[in-house]
Amino acid sequence: IAGITQAPTSQILAAGRRMTLRCTQDMRHNAMYWYRQDLGLGLRLIHYSNTAGTTGKGEVPDGYSVSRANTDDFPLTLASAVPSQTSVYFCASSDSTGGGANVLTFGAGSRLTVL
Amino acid sequence: GQNIDQPTEMTATEGAIVQINCTYQTSGFNGLFWYQQHAGEAPTFLSYNVLDGLEEKGRFSSFLSRSKGYSYLLLKELQMKDSASYLCAVRDRNYQLIWGAGTKLIIKP
């Protein structure tokens, strides 16, 4: 593993089903993030975690939950998927949460289609 | 509300220079970022500006004017591999990133 690994790469899901997108990083970054990317819109933050054991809500948290049991893993769960959650999901991490060039490293993305 | 504006799409010729503009209105300012995203791939970091002026990094330069809420990314000696989307993002007073929708750059031979 080098950087951030996301799984699955893509998934087609029936509405109402539960789905967990996995994210693992090996850089020992403190902060992790989940974004969704939709055509014509900027990346939108779903949830974030500044450090293991803590999580926070982003801009579009409804219908999603996260956990951060350790530094490396940050899974995103859709409890009951709806078609509006069809999107490309990116997990990202950064070394810190403050100022400076706090660069985000992104995973390759998970393309989710909810029918 | 907070807003980042970028052109949706631009076309340029291989070997030429292109300037991609970004204007922003945010609650506070703690830095501006440019990321590159090839189709179907993850965004990757290009540049960071927090003070006014020009930051140069090889063929890419980024400019910031905080008083005007304006930045641009300048790409010189364009190569076909520069065909990608370029994302502008501003970190607001709460250190949250606000992202523009991205500018799709098409390079023609």
Side-chain angles (χ1 to χ4, degrees):
Chain A
I1 298 177
I4 296 183
T5 301
Q6 289 186 233
T9 303
S10 90
Q11 182 77 43
I12 299 173
L13 188 66
R17 297 297 295 268
R18 180 184 179 90
M19 177 74 193
T20 295
L21 304 181
R22 300 183 297 280
C23 175
T24 299
Q25 55 113 350
D26 65 354
M27 298 171 286
R28 307 302 293 173
H29 283 174
N30 286 320
M32 297 188 75
Y33 312 84
W34 274 105
Y35 286 93
R36 59 178 291 174
Q37 187 174 44
D38 301 290
L39 201 62
L41 299 177
L43 288 163
R44 291 184 292 169
L45 183 64
I46 304 170
H47 285 286
Y48 65 93
S49 169
N50 287 337
T51 189
T54 69
T55 62
K57 293 182 179 180
E59 180 187 354
V60 288
D62 294 344
Y64 306 95
S65 63
V66 291
S67 61
R68 186 89 183 276
N70 56 60
T71 298
D72 299 344
D73 301 300
F74 191 45
L76 176 74
T77 297
L78 290 68
S80 179
V82 295
S84 62
Q85 292 177 311
T86 293
S87 188
V88 179
Y89 291 85
F90 285 101
C91 180
S93 71
S94 65
D95 197 27
S96 67
T97 58
N102 186 14
V103 174
L104 293 181
T105 299
F106 285 86
S110 295
R111 181 175 294 275
L112 185 65
T113 302
V114 183
L115 301 176
Chain B
Q2 308 203 88
N3 194 51
I4 310 285
D5 285 319
Q6 312 177 228
T8 302
E9 186 175 296
M10 300 181 69
T11 302
T13 304
E14 190 177 15
I17 299 173
V18 71
Q19 177 176 312
I20 302 174
N21 295 326
C22 171
T23 58
Y24 63 89
Q25 293 174 311
T26 56
S27 302
F29 178 86
N30 280 298
L32 184 143
F33 298 80
W34 284 95
Y35 281 75
Q36 180 189 59
Q37 185 178 24
H38 285 100
E41 298 183 9
T44 55
F45 171 76
L46 283 179
S47 69
Y48 167 70
N49 294 71
V50 66
L51 299 176
D52 290 351
L54 189 68
E55 293 281 343
E56 296 186 80
K57 193 185 293 185
R59 293 189 298 114
F60 292 10
S61 303
S62 57
F63 171 84
L64 174 67
S65 168
R66 288 172 296 171
S67 63
K68 294 182 179 179
Y70 168 70
S71 172
Y72 67 73
L73 181 69
L74 192 71
L75 291 73
K76 303 176 186 176
E77 302 170 13
L78 285 170
Q79 302 175 9
M80 297 303 293
K81 67 178 182 180
D82 297 330
S83 292
S85 288
Y86 292 85
L87 314 181
C88 175
V90 172
R91 194 162 55 198
D92 70 10
R93 68 159 61 106
N94 297 316
Y95 290 90
Q96 295 296 322
L97 277 176
I98 312 300
W99 294 82
T103 299
K104 182 179 181 180
L105 178 63
I106 299 167
I107 310 296
K108 295 185 174 180

